[in-house]
Amino acid sequence: MACVNVIAADSDAEAHRLFTSLQQLFLGIVSGNHKPLQPPLDDMNEVWSNSEKLSAQQMLTYSFVGSPKTLQSSLSSFLQEAGVNEIMATSPIFAHDARLNSYRLFAETIQAINRSVKGSKI
């Protein structure tokens, strides 16, 4: 089993915007300035330094962000490489309705992956 971060939205751009909330959370870990989950930002480069960005990105390696099409590609590759047959996802998204939509899109993506790989069921 693998546990990953999944931030899904109807478009890649919206998913990446929603992802900034999780990035801010990890910025707080890196900087020692912990805060509750914050609203998304238009540009993370305004709030973190290059070293903070690199540290946070390393911790967020297993984060899958994007539209259903993007997620299907990246998650399929991950599942094959990792050899897992079970996946647990977390979607730390600030707005509740966007979080519910992310889980719905993630579930649909996993169903599409299962349909495309005979005998596979995640």
Side-chain angles (χ1 to χ4, degrees):
M1 179 190 327
C3 184
V4 298
N5 299 304
V6 175
I7 308 295
D10 295 326
S11 71
D12 287 345
E14 180 59 16
H16 283 283
R17 185 177 169 283
L18 294 173
F19 184 50
T20 64
S21 293
L22 182 57
Q23 289 173 316
Q24 290 176 76
L25 195 68
F26 276 78
L27 170 60
I29 293 167
V30 169
S31 67
N33 187 18
H34 302 273
K35 294 180 184 176
L37 193 64
Q38 298 295 301
L41 300 172
D42 291 328
D43 187 3
M44 277 298 294
N45 291 321
E46 294 178 4
V47 297
W48 60 12
S49 68
N50 283 335
S51 63
E52 290 169 331
K53 178 181 179 178
L54 290 171
S55 294
Q57 284 178 327
Q58 184 177 17
M59 291 187 285
L60 292 166
T61 297
Y62 296 106
S63 297
F64 299 90
V65 181
S67 66
K69 182 179 178 181
T70 299
L71 289 179
Q72 186 168 351
S73 174
S74 60
L75 282 168
S76 291
S77 295
F78 169 75
L79 292 169
Q80 240 178 1
E81 291 170 19
V84 298
N85 62 6
E86 194 171 345
I87 192 165
M88 182 171 38
T90 181
S91 292
I93 297 173
F94 185 77
H96 183 66
D97 58 335
R99 187 176 330 112
L100 292 176
N101 186 50
S102 180
Y103 281 124
R104 180 184 60 78
L105 293 172
F106 171 66
E108 291 171 2
T109 299
I110 292 297
Q111 289 170 349
I113 290 169
N114 283 335
R115 285 190 300 271
S116 71
V117 180
K118 277 192 167 190
S120 172
K121 193 166 190 175
I122 308 242

